[in-house]
């Protein structure tokens, strides 16, 4: 299996621009998670999906952030408009959830820099 | 709510030294516990896990035991290598299927030869 795939690996953009991050989960996994990692705040859960349906988006920082999962093999995280404080590494993770075992598999991340 | 507290870093050791990274948690019910490792420029990889009290997770010479009485899951390795230099995250999830992971802030380990 190829693992969780994220693209792009690096993104540099200017303040005010729209940014779209992409994720392909591991085939057969039924949960998908988006995290953000910064030095100041560590790893933060932004949103997660079960069978393509958003379950908890309470971690999404503000309305500029949105996430979709149109099918079981693809998800996007969009920031519009972007701001310098959005600079971070964004991770996607997926899991096949079972009682007593919620191990998640992470992608390599997208390093976003907003100038 | 559920939370994870792990020791602040950075931790700097010489090769072959003994490693302990402390992790304690607060949770209701019967959480599962994890250690993830992040090498520079990469995503997080599962290092080991334990799903019930007194379970010991182990991998690549690392071990951690799920201690419910002390709500701890300390990571240990008897002899570290330079290649172990990375950031280590303690995490927990609820027992129910599909609950999200809650991470500690991470501990940076630097091993010198």
């Amino acid at each position: 299996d190829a693992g969780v795939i994220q693209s792009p690996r690096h993104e540099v953009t200017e303040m005010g621009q729209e940014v779209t991050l992409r994720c392909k989960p591991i085939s057969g996994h039924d949960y998908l998670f988006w995290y953000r990692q910064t030095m100041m705040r560590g790893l933060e859960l932004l949103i997660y999906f079960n069978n393509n349906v958003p379950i908890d988006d309470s971690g999404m920082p503000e309305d500029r952030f949105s996430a979709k999962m149109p099918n079981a093999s693809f998800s996007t995280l969009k920031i519009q408009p972007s701001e310098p404080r959005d600079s971070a590494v964004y991770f996607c993770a997926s899991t096949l959830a079972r009682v007593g075992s919620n191990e998640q598999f992470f992608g390599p991340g997208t390093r976003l820099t907003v100038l | 709510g559920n939370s994870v507290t792990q020791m602040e870093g950075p931790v700097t050791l010489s090769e072959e030294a003994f490693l302990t990274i402390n992790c304690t948690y607060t949770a209701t019910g019967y959480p599962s516990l994890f250690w993830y490792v992040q090498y520079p420029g990469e995503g997080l990889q599962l290092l080991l896990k334990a799903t019930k009290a007194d379970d010991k997770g182990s991998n690549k010479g690392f071990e951690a035991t799920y201690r419910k009485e002390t709500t701890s899951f300390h990571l240990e390795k008897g002899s570290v290598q330079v290649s172990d230099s990375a950031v280590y995250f303690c995490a927990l999830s609820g027992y129910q299927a599909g609950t999200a992971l809650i991470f500690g802030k991470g501990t940076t380990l630097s091993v010198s030869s």
Side-chain angles (χ1 to χ4, degrees), chain A residues 8-68:
Chain A
R9 291 294 308 276
H10 303 273
E11 176 80 33
V12 180
T13 191
E14 293 189 346
M15 183 174 65
Q17 297 298 306
E18 178 179 295
V19 175
T20 299
L21 311 182
R22 297 172 176 80
C23 175
K24 176 179 170 56
I26 292 173
S27 177
H29 282 188
D30 55 355
Y31 280 79
L32 182 141
F33 302 81
W34 282 101
Y35 292 90
R36 177 171 68 175
Q37 185 179 37
T38 62
M39 290 293 292
M40 291 297 293
R41 300 172 68 91
L43 270 164
E44 302 174 277
L45 175 66
L46 299 177
I47 185 172
Y48 71 97
F49 297 83
N50 174 219
N51 292 325
N52 315 335
V53 175
I55 301 301
D56 184 354
D57 65 353
S58 60
M60 296 286 261
E62 46 196 280
D63 292 345
R64 297 185 296 106
F65 286 70
S66 62
K68 294 181 180 179

Short mmCIF file of all heavy atoms in Angstrom, two decimals, chain A residues 8-68:
data_model
loop_
_atom_site.label_atom_id
_atom_site.label_comp_id
_atom_site.label_asym_id
_atom_site.label_seq_id
_atom_site.Cartn_x
_atom_site.Cartn_y
_atom_site.Cartn_z
N PRO A 8 0.27 19.51 -2.24
CA PRO A 8 1.70 19.41 -2.51
C PRO A 8 2.48 19.16 -1.22
O PRO A 8 1.93 19.24 -0.13
CB PRO A 8 2.01 20.80 -3.06
CG PRO A 8 1.05 21.71 -2.36
CD PRO A 8 -0.21 20.90 -2.20
N ARG A 9 3.76 18.88 -1.31
CA ARG A 9 4.58 18.71 -0.12
C ARG A 9 4.97 20.06 0.45
O ARG A 9 5.12 20.21 1.67
CB ARG A 9 5.84 17.91 -0.45
CG ARG A 9 5.58 16.45 -0.79
CD ARG A 9 5.05 15.67 0.42
NE ARG A 9 5.86 15.84 1.61
CZ ARG A 9 6.96 15.13 1.87
NH1 ARG A 9 7.35 14.18 1.04
NH2 ARG A 9 7.63 15.34 2.98
N HIS A 10 5.14 21.02 -0.42
CA HIS A 10 5.48 22.37 0.00
C HIS A 10 4.63 23.36 -0.79
O HIS A 10 4.39 23.16 -1.98
CB HIS A 10 6.97 22.68 -0.24
CG HIS A 10 7.90 21.74 0.44
ND1 HIS A 10 8.33 21.92 1.72
CD2 HIS A 10 8.48 20.59 0.02
CE1 HIS A 10 9.14 20.94 2.07
NE2 HIS A 10 9.25 20.12 1.06
N GLU A 11 4.18 24.41 -0.10
CA GLU A 11 3.39 25.44 -0.76
C GLU A 11 3.80 26.79 -0.20
O GLU A 11 3.79 26.98 1.02
CB GLU A 11 1.90 25.20 -0.52
CG GLU A 11 0.99 26.26 -1.10
CD GLU A 11 0.74 26.08 -2.58
OE1 GLU A 11 0.72 24.92 -3.03
OE2 GLU A 11 0.56 27.09 -3.28
N VAL A 12 4.18 27.68 -1.08
CA VAL A 12 4.50 29.05 -0.68
C VAL A 12 3.54 29.95 -1.43
O VAL A 12 3.42 29.87 -2.65
CB VAL A 12 5.95 29.43 -1.02
CG1 VAL A 12 6.22 30.87 -0.58
CG2 VAL A 12 6.93 28.48 -0.34
N THR A 13 2.84 30.80 -0.69
CA THR A 13 1.85 31.65 -1.31
C THR A 13 1.86 33.02 -0.63
O THR A 13 2.49 33.20 0.42
CB THR A 13 0.46 31.02 -1.22
OG1 THR A 13 -0.47 31.74 -2.04
CG2 THR A 13 -0.05 31.04 0.22
N GLU A 14 1.16 33.94 -1.21
CA GLU A 14 1.09 35.28 -0.64
C GLU A 14 -0.23 35.46 0.10
O GLU A 14 -1.25 34.87 -0.27
CB GLU A 14 1.26 36.33 -1.73
CG GLU A 14 2.65 36.31 -2.34
CD GLU A 14 2.88 37.49 -3.26
OE1 GLU A 14 1.91 38.17 -3.63
OE2 GLU A 14 4.05 37.73 -3.61
N MET A 15 -0.17 36.29 1.09
CA MET A 15 -1.35 36.58 1.88
C MET A 15 -2.52 36.96 0.97
O MET A 15 -2.35 37.73 0.02
CB MET A 15 -1.05 37.72 2.84
CG MET A 15 -2.17 38.07 3.78
SD MET A 15 -1.67 39.31 4.99
CE MET A 15 -1.37 40.71 3.95
N GLY A 16 -3.68 36.40 1.28
CA GLY A 16 -4.87 36.70 0.51
C GLY A 16 -5.20 35.69 -0.57
O GLY A 16 -6.33 35.66 -1.08
N GLN A 17 -4.22 34.85 -0.90
CA GLN A 17 -4.44 33.85 -1.94
C GLN A 17 -5.18 32.64 -1.36
O GLN A 17 -5.13 32.35 -0.16
CB GLN A 17 -3.12 33.40 -2.54
CG GLN A 17 -2.36 34.50 -3.26
CD GLN A 17 -3.15 35.04 -4.43
OE1 GLN A 17 -3.58 34.30 -5.32
NE2 GLN A 17 -3.36 36.35 -4.45
N GLU A 18 -5.84 31.93 -2.25
CA GLU A 18 -6.50 30.67 -1.88
C GLU A 18 -5.50 29.54 -1.93
O GLU A 18 -4.67 29.46 -2.85
CB GLU A 18 -7.65 30.38 -2.83
CG GLU A 18 -8.37 29.07 -2.54
CD GLU A 18 -9.52 28.83 -3.50
OE1 GLU A 18 -10.49 29.59 -3.48
OE2 GLU A 18 -9.42 27.86 -4.29
N VAL A 19 -5.57 28.66 -0.92
CA VAL A 19 -4.67 27.51 -0.84
C VAL A 19 -5.53 26.25 -0.73
O VAL A 19 -6.48 26.21 0.06
CB VAL A 19 -3.75 27.60 0.38
CG1 VAL A 19 -2.92 26.34 0.53
CG2 VAL A 19 -2.86 28.83 0.30
N THR A 20 -5.19 25.24 -1.51
CA THR A 20 -5.89 23.96 -1.42
C THR A 20 -4.89 22.84 -1.19
O THR A 20 -3.96 22.65 -1.97
CB THR A 20 -6.70 23.67 -2.70
OG1 THR A 20 -7.68 24.70 -2.88
CG2 THR A 20 -7.42 22.33 -2.57
N LEU A 21 -5.09 22.11 -0.10
CA LEU A 21 -4.26 20.97 0.24
C LEU A 21 -5.05 19.71 -0.03
O LEU A 21 -6.27 19.67 0.22
CB LEU A 21 -3.86 21.04 1.72
CG LEU A 21 -3.30 22.38 2.22
CD1 LEU A 21 -2.92 22.28 3.68
CD2 LEU A 21 -2.14 22.85 1.37
N ARG A 22 -4.36 18.67 -0.49
CA ARG A 22 -5.04 17.46 -0.93
C ARG A 22 -4.53 16.23 -0.19
O ARG A 22 -3.36 16.18 0.20
CB ARG A 22 -4.85 17.28 -2.44
CG ARG A 22 -5.46 18.40 -3.26
CD ARG A 22 -5.11 18.31 -4.72
NE ARG A 22 -5.79 19.34 -5.51
CZ ARG A 22 -5.40 20.60 -5.59
NH1 ARG A 22 -4.32 21.01 -4.95
NH2 ARG A 22 -6.10 21.46 -6.32
N CYS A 23 -5.43 15.27 -0.04
CA CYS A 23 -5.09 14.06 0.70
C CYS A 23 -5.80 12.85 0.09
O CYS A 23 -7.00 12.91 -0.21
CB CYS A 23 -5.49 14.19 2.16
SG CYS A 23 -5.24 12.69 3.14
N LYS A 24 -5.04 11.78 -0.07
CA LYS A 24 -5.61 10.49 -0.47
C LYS A 24 -5.35 9.52 0.68
O LYS A 24 -4.19 9.18 0.95
CB LYS A 24 -4.96 9.99 -1.75
CG LYS A 24 -5.41 8.61 -2.19
CD LYS A 24 -4.73 8.21 -3.49
CE LYS A 24 -4.96 6.75 -3.84
NZ LYS A 24 -6.40 6.41 -3.90
N PRO A 25 -6.40 9.04 1.34
CA PRO A 25 -6.20 8.14 2.47
C PRO A 25 -5.84 6.72 1.99
O PRO A 25 -5.91 6.42 0.80
CB PRO A 25 -7.56 8.14 3.17
CG PRO A 25 -8.53 8.40 2.06
CD PRO A 25 -7.82 9.34 1.12
N ILE A 26 -5.49 5.89 2.93
CA ILE A 26 -5.22 4.48 2.62
C ILE A 26 -6.54 3.82 2.22
O ILE A 26 -7.58 4.03 2.87
CB ILE A 26 -4.59 3.77 3.82
CG1 ILE A 26 -3.18 4.34 4.06
CG2 ILE A 26 -4.54 2.27 3.63
CD1 ILE A 26 -2.51 3.84 5.32
N SER A 27 -6.50 3.06 1.15
CA SER A 27 -7.69 2.40 0.64
C SER A 27 -8.31 1.51 1.71
O SER A 27 -7.62 0.73 2.37
CB SER A 27 -7.31 1.56 -0.58
OG SER A 27 -8.43 0.84 -1.06
N GLY A 28 -9.63 1.65 1.88
CA GLY A 28 -10.34 0.84 2.86
C GLY A 28 -10.51 1.49 4.22
O GLY A 28 -11.30 1.01 5.04
N HIS A 29 -9.77 2.56 4.48
CA HIS A 29 -9.91 3.26 5.75
C HIS A 29 -11.20 4.08 5.73
O HIS A 29 -11.57 4.66 4.71
CB HIS A 29 -8.70 4.14 6.01
CG HIS A 29 -7.51 3.38 6.49
ND1 HIS A 29 -6.37 4.02 6.94
CD2 HIS A 29 -7.29 2.06 6.62
CE1 HIS A 29 -5.49 3.10 7.32
NE2 HIS A 29 -6.03 1.90 7.13
N ASP A 30 -11.85 4.13 6.90
CA ASP A 30 -13.15 4.79 6.96
C ASP A 30 -13.14 6.12 7.70
O ASP A 30 -14.16 6.80 7.78
CB ASP A 30 -14.22 3.85 7.53
CG ASP A 30 -13.84 3.29 8.90
OD1 ASP A 30 -12.72 3.55 9.37
OD2 ASP A 30 -14.68 2.57 9.49
N TYR A 31 -11.99 6.47 8.29
CA TYR A 31 -11.87 7.76 8.96
C TYR A 31 -10.71 8.52 8.35
O TYR A 31 -9.65 7.94 8.07
CB TYR A 31 -11.62 7.60 10.46
CG TYR A 31 -12.86 7.31 11.28
CD1 TYR A 31 -13.40 6.03 11.33
CD2 TYR A 31 -13.49 8.32 11.99
CE1 TYR A 31 -14.53 5.77 12.06
CE2 TYR A 31 -14.62 8.05 12.75
CZ TYR A 31 -15.14 6.77 12.78
OH TYR A 31 -16.27 6.51 13.53
N LEU A 32 -10.90 9.85 8.24
CA LEU A 32 -9.84 10.71 7.74
C LEU A 32 -9.77 11.94 8.64
O LEU A 32 -10.80 12.52 8.99
CB LEU A 32 -10.10 11.13 6.30
CG LEU A 32 -9.01 11.99 5.65
CD1 LEU A 32 -8.79 11.60 4.19
CD2 LEU A 32 -9.30 13.47 5.76
N PHE A 33 -8.53 12.31 9.00
CA PHE A 33 -8.29 13.40 9.94
C PHE A 33 -7.37 14.43 9.29
O PHE A 33 -6.43 14.08 8.57
CB PHE A 33 -7.61 12.88 11.20
CG PHE A 33 -8.36 11.80 11.92
CD1 PHE A 33 -8.30 10.48 11.51
CD2 PHE A 33 -9.13 12.10 13.03
CE1 PHE A 33 -8.98 9.47 12.17
CE2 PHE A 33 -9.82 11.10 13.71
CZ PHE A 33 -9.75 9.79 13.27
N TRP A 34 -7.62 15.68 9.58
CA TRP A 34 -6.71 16.78 9.21
C TRP A 34 -6.16 17.41 10.49
O TRP A 34 -6.93 17.77 11.39
CB TRP A 34 -7.42 17.86 8.40
CG TRP A 34 -7.64 17.52 6.96
CD1 TRP A 34 -8.80 17.09 6.39
CD2 TRP A 34 -6.69 17.65 5.90
NE1 TRP A 34 -8.61 16.91 5.04
CE2 TRP A 34 -7.34 17.26 4.71
CE3 TRP A 34 -5.35 18.05 5.83
CZ2 TRP A 34 -6.70 17.25 3.47
CZ3 TRP A 34 -4.72 18.05 4.60
CH2 TRP A 34 -5.39 17.65 3.44
N TYR A 35 -4.82 17.52 10.55
CA TYR A 35 -4.13 18.14 11.69
C TYR A 35 -3.28 19.30 11.19
O TYR A 35 -2.84 19.34 10.04
CB TYR A 35 -3.19 17.15 12.36
CG TYR A 35 -3.83 15.99 13.07
CD1 TYR A 35 -4.09 14.81 12.40
CD2 TYR A 35 -4.15 16.07 14.42
CE1 TYR A 35 -4.67 13.73 13.06
CE2 TYR A 35 -4.73 14.99 15.09
CZ TYR A 35 -4.98 13.83 14.39
OH TYR A 35 -5.54 12.76 15.05
N ARG A 36 -2.99 20.21 12.11
CA ARG A 36 -2.05 21.29 11.84
C ARG A 36 -0.97 21.25 12.92
O ARG A 36 -1.29 21.07 14.10
CB ARG A 36 -2.77 22.64 11.87
CG ARG A 36 -1.87 23.83 11.66
CD ARG A 36 -2.66 25.11 11.48
NE ARG A 36 -3.36 25.53 12.69
CZ ARG A 36 -4.04 26.67 12.77
NH1 ARG A 36 -4.12 27.47 11.72
NH2 ARG A 36 -4.65 27.00 13.90
N GLN A 37 0.28 21.42 12.50
CA GLN A 37 1.40 21.40 13.45
C GLN A 37 2.16 22.71 13.38
O GLN A 37 2.65 23.12 12.32
CB GLN A 37 2.34 20.23 13.15
CG GLN A 37 3.46 20.08 14.18
CD GLN A 37 4.38 18.91 13.87
OE1 GLN A 37 4.69 18.60 12.72
NE2 GLN A 37 4.82 18.22 14.91
N THR A 38 2.30 23.37 14.52
CA THR A 38 3.12 24.57 14.64
C THR A 38 3.99 24.45 15.88
O THR A 38 3.70 23.65 16.78
CB THR A 38 2.26 25.85 14.77
OG1 THR A 38 1.47 25.73 15.97
CG2 THR A 38 1.34 26.03 13.59
N MET A 39 5.04 25.24 15.91
CA MET A 39 5.93 25.21 17.07
C MET A 39 5.18 25.65 18.32
O MET A 39 5.37 25.09 19.40
CB MET A 39 7.15 26.11 16.82
CG MET A 39 8.11 25.57 15.79
SD MET A 39 8.92 24.08 16.36
CE MET A 39 9.93 24.72 17.66
N MET A 40 4.34 26.66 18.17
CA MET A 40 3.69 27.24 19.34
C MET A 40 2.59 26.33 19.90
O MET A 40 2.44 26.21 21.12
CB MET A 40 3.09 28.60 18.98
CG MET A 40 4.12 29.67 18.70
SD MET A 40 5.12 30.02 20.15
CE MET A 40 3.89 30.74 21.23
N ARG A 41 1.83 25.71 19.03
CA ARG A 41 0.62 24.99 19.47
C ARG A 41 0.71 23.48 19.32
O ARG A 41 -0.22 22.77 19.70
CB ARG A 41 -0.59 25.54 18.71
CG ARG A 41 -0.82 27.02 18.93
CD ARG A 41 -1.91 27.54 17.99
NE ARG A 41 -3.21 26.99 18.34
CZ ARG A 41 -4.06 27.56 19.18
NH1 ARG A 41 -3.74 28.70 19.77
NH2 ARG A 41 -5.22 27.01 19.46
N GLY A 42 1.81 22.99 18.76
CA GLY A 42 1.95 21.55 18.59
C GLY A 42 0.99 21.02 17.55
O GLY A 42 0.67 21.71 16.58
N LEU A 43 0.50 19.80 17.75
CA LEU A 43 -0.41 19.14 16.81
C LEU A 43 -1.85 19.44 17.23
O LEU A 43 -2.26 19.12 18.34
CB LEU A 43 -0.20 17.64 16.83
CG LEU A 43 0.81 17.08 15.87
CD1 LEU A 43 1.18 15.67 16.26
CD2 LEU A 43 0.28 17.10 14.44
N GLU A 44 -2.60 20.00 16.30
CA GLU A 44 -4.00 20.33 16.56
C GLU A 44 -4.89 19.60 15.56
O GLU A 44 -4.63 19.64 14.36
CB GLU A 44 -4.26 21.83 16.37
CG GLU A 44 -3.43 22.76 17.21
CD GLU A 44 -3.69 24.19 16.79
OE1 GLU A 44 -3.08 24.64 15.80
OE2 GLU A 44 -4.53 24.85 17.45
N LEU A 45 -5.94 18.97 16.07
CA LEU A 45 -6.92 18.35 15.19
C LEU A 45 -7.82 19.45 14.63
O LEU A 45 -8.40 20.24 15.37
CB LEU A 45 -7.77 17.35 15.96
CG LEU A 45 -8.91 16.70 15.20
CD1 LEU A 45 -8.39 15.81 14.08
CD2 LEU A 45 -9.80 15.91 16.15
N LEU A 46 -7.94 19.49 13.32
CA LEU A 46 -8.79 20.50 12.68
C LEU A 46 -10.19 19.96 12.42
O LEU A 46 -11.18 20.58 12.79
CB LEU A 46 -8.17 20.95 11.36
CG LEU A 46 -6.79 21.59 11.45
CD1 LEU A 46 -6.27 21.93 10.05
CD2 LEU A 46 -6.82 22.83 12.31
N ILE A 47 -10.28 18.79 11.79
CA ILE A 47 -11.56 18.22 11.41
C ILE A 47 -11.35 16.75 11.13
O ILE A 47 -10.24 16.33 10.78
CB ILE A 47 -12.13 18.93 10.16
CG1 ILE A 47 -13.53 18.43 9.79
CG2 ILE A 47 -11.17 18.78 8.96
CD1 ILE A 47 -14.20 19.25 8.68
N TYR A 48 -12.42 15.94 11.29
CA TYR A 48 -12.31 14.57 10.82
C TYR A 48 -13.62 14.07 10.24
O TYR A 48 -14.70 14.60 10.55
CB TYR A 48 -11.75 13.62 11.88
CG TYR A 48 -12.62 13.26 13.05
CD1 TYR A 48 -13.36 12.08 13.06
CD2 TYR A 48 -12.62 14.05 14.19
CE1 TYR A 48 -14.11 11.72 14.17
CE2 TYR A 48 -13.37 13.70 15.30
CZ TYR A 48 -14.11 12.54 15.30
OH TYR A 48 -14.85 12.18 16.40
N PHE A 49 -13.50 13.10 9.35
CA PHE A 49 -14.59 12.54 8.58
C PHE A 49 -14.73 11.04 8.89
O PHE A 49 -13.73 10.36 9.11
CB PHE A 49 -14.31 12.68 7.07
CG PHE A 49 -14.22 14.08 6.57
CD1 PHE A 49 -13.03 14.81 6.68
CD2 PHE A 49 -15.30 14.70 5.95
CE1 PHE A 49 -12.93 16.10 6.19
CE2 PHE A 49 -15.21 15.98 5.45
CZ PHE A 49 -14.02 16.69 5.58
N ASN A 50 -15.96 10.58 8.82
CA ASN A 50 -16.24 9.15 8.86
C ASN A 50 -17.09 8.82 7.64
O ASN A 50 -18.17 9.40 7.47
CB ASN A 50 -16.96 8.79 10.15
CG ASN A 50 -17.42 7.33 10.18
OD1 ASN A 50 -18.50 7.01 10.65
ND2 ASN A 50 -16.60 6.44 9.70
N ASN A 51 -16.59 7.90 6.82
CA ASN A 51 -17.31 7.55 5.60
C ASN A 51 -17.72 8.80 4.81
O ASN A 51 -18.87 8.94 4.37
CB ASN A 51 -18.53 6.69 5.91
CG ASN A 51 -18.14 5.32 6.42
OD1 ASN A 51 -17.14 4.74 5.98
ND2 ASN A 51 -18.90 4.79 7.36
N ASN A 52 -16.78 9.73 4.69
CA ASN A 52 -16.89 10.94 3.88
C ASN A 52 -17.75 12.03 4.53
O ASN A 52 -17.92 13.10 3.95
CB ASN A 52 -17.46 10.66 2.47
CG ASN A 52 -16.82 9.46 1.81
OD1 ASN A 52 -15.70 9.09 2.13
ND2 ASN A 52 -17.55 8.83 0.90
N VAL A 53 -18.29 11.79 5.70
CA VAL A 53 -19.15 12.77 6.36
C VAL A 53 -18.35 13.45 7.48
O VAL A 53 -17.75 12.77 8.30
CB VAL A 53 -20.39 12.08 6.96
CG1 VAL A 53 -21.22 13.08 7.75
CG2 VAL A 53 -21.22 11.41 5.88
N PRO A 54 -18.37 14.80 7.52
CA PRO A 54 -17.65 15.48 8.61
C PRO A 54 -18.30 15.17 9.96
O PRO A 54 -19.52 15.30 10.11
CB PRO A 54 -17.77 16.96 8.25
CG PRO A 54 -18.91 17.05 7.30
CD PRO A 54 -19.00 15.75 6.59
N ILE A 55 -17.49 14.77 10.92
CA ILE A 55 -17.99 14.40 12.24
C ILE A 55 -17.76 15.50 13.26
O ILE A 55 -18.61 15.80 14.09
CB ILE A 55 -17.32 13.09 12.73
CG1 ILE A 55 -17.59 11.96 11.75
CG2 ILE A 55 -17.81 12.74 14.13
CD1 ILE A 55 -19.07 11.66 11.54
N ASP A 56 -16.58 16.09 13.22
CA ASP A 56 -16.24 17.12 14.20
C ASP A 56 -15.33 18.14 13.53
O ASP A 56 -14.22 17.80 13.15
CB ASP A 56 -15.54 16.49 15.40
CG ASP A 56 -15.23 17.50 16.51
OD1 ASP A 56 -15.45 18.71 16.30
OD2 ASP A 56 -14.76 17.08 17.58
N ASP A 57 -15.83 19.35 13.38
CA ASP A 57 -15.01 20.41 12.79
C ASP A 57 -14.73 21.51 13.80
O ASP A 57 -14.41 22.64 13.43
CB ASP A 57 -15.67 20.99 11.54
CG ASP A 57 -16.98 21.70 11.87
OD1 ASP A 57 -17.43 21.64 13.03
OD2 ASP A 57 -17.56 22.30 10.94
N SER A 58 -14.83 21.19 15.06
CA SER A 58 -14.66 22.21 16.11
C SER A 58 -13.24 22.75 16.17
O SER A 58 -13.00 23.81 16.73
CB SER A 58 -15.05 21.64 17.47
OG SER A 58 -14.26 20.54 17.80
N GLY A 59 -12.30 22.04 15.57
CA GLY A 59 -10.93 22.51 15.57
C GLY A 59 -10.58 23.44 14.42
O GLY A 59 -9.49 24.02 14.39
N MET A 60 -11.48 23.60 13.50
CA MET A 60 -11.23 24.52 12.37
C MET A 60 -11.17 25.94 12.94
O MET A 60 -12.13 26.41 13.57
CB MET A 60 -12.34 24.40 11.34
CG MET A 60 -12.40 23.02 10.70
SD MET A 60 -11.06 22.75 9.54
CE MET A 60 -11.95 23.09 8.01
N PRO A 61 -10.08 26.64 12.70
CA PRO A 61 -9.85 27.90 13.41
C PRO A 61 -10.85 29.01 13.08
O PRO A 61 -11.19 29.79 13.94
CB PRO A 61 -8.42 28.27 13.04
CG PRO A 61 -8.08 27.45 11.85
CD PRO A 61 -8.92 26.25 11.87
N GLU A 62 -11.28 29.09 11.86
CA GLU A 62 -12.23 30.15 11.50
C GLU A 62 -12.81 29.84 10.13
O GLU A 62 -12.46 28.85 9.50
CB GLU A 62 -11.53 31.51 11.51
CG GLU A 62 -10.18 31.53 10.82
CD GLU A 62 -9.38 32.77 11.19
OE1 GLU A 62 -9.64 33.84 10.62
OE2 GLU A 62 -8.48 32.66 12.05
N ASP A 63 -13.73 30.70 9.73
CA ASP A 63 -14.47 30.43 8.49
C ASP A 63 -13.60 30.43 7.24
O ASP A 63 -14.05 29.97 6.19
CB ASP A 63 -15.60 31.47 8.32
CG ASP A 63 -16.68 31.30 9.36
OD1 ASP A 63 -16.70 30.23 10.03
OD2 ASP A 63 -17.49 32.22 9.52
N ARG A 64 -12.40 30.91 7.35
CA ARG A 64 -11.52 30.89 6.18
C ARG A 64 -11.10 29.46 5.83
O ARG A 64 -10.64 29.22 4.72
CB ARG A 64 -10.27 31.73 6.47
CG ARG A 64 -10.54 33.20 6.73
CD ARG A 64 -9.25 33.98 6.89
NE ARG A 64 -8.48 33.56 8.06
CZ ARG A 64 -7.36 32.84 7.99
NH1 ARG A 64 -6.87 32.45 6.82
NH2 ARG A 64 -6.72 32.50 9.10
N PHE A 65 -11.26 28.56 6.77
CA PHE A 65 -10.89 27.16 6.56
C PHE A 65 -12.12 26.34 6.22
O PHE A 65 -13.17 26.48 6.87
CB PHE A 65 -10.25 26.59 7.83
CG PHE A 65 -8.86 27.05 8.11
CD1 PHE A 65 -8.62 28.36 8.50
CD2 PHE A 65 -7.79 26.18 8.00
CE1 PHE A 65 -7.33 28.81 8.77
CE2 PHE A 65 -6.50 26.61 8.27
CZ PHE A 65 -6.26 27.92 8.65
N SER A 66 -11.98 25.48 5.22
CA SER A 66 -13.05 24.56 4.89
C SER A 66 -12.44 23.25 4.42
O SER A 66 -11.33 23.23 3.89
CB SER A 66 -13.97 25.13 3.81
OG SER A 66 -13.26 25.35 2.61
N ALA A 67 -13.16 22.16 4.64
CA ALA A 67 -12.67 20.83 4.22
C ALA A 67 -13.82 20.05 3.62
O ALA A 67 -14.98 20.19 4.04
CB ALA A 67 -12.08 20.08 5.41
N LYS A 68 -13.46 19.25 2.62
CA LYS A 68 -14.45 18.41 1.95
C LYS A 68 -13.88 17.02 1.75
O LYS A 68 -12.66 16.83 1.69
CB LYS A 68 -14.83 19.00 0.60
CG LYS A 68 -15.54 20.33 0.66
CD LYS A 68 -15.90 20.82 -0.74
CE LYS A 68 -16.62 22.15 -0.69
NZ LYS A 68 -16.96 22.65 -2.04
#
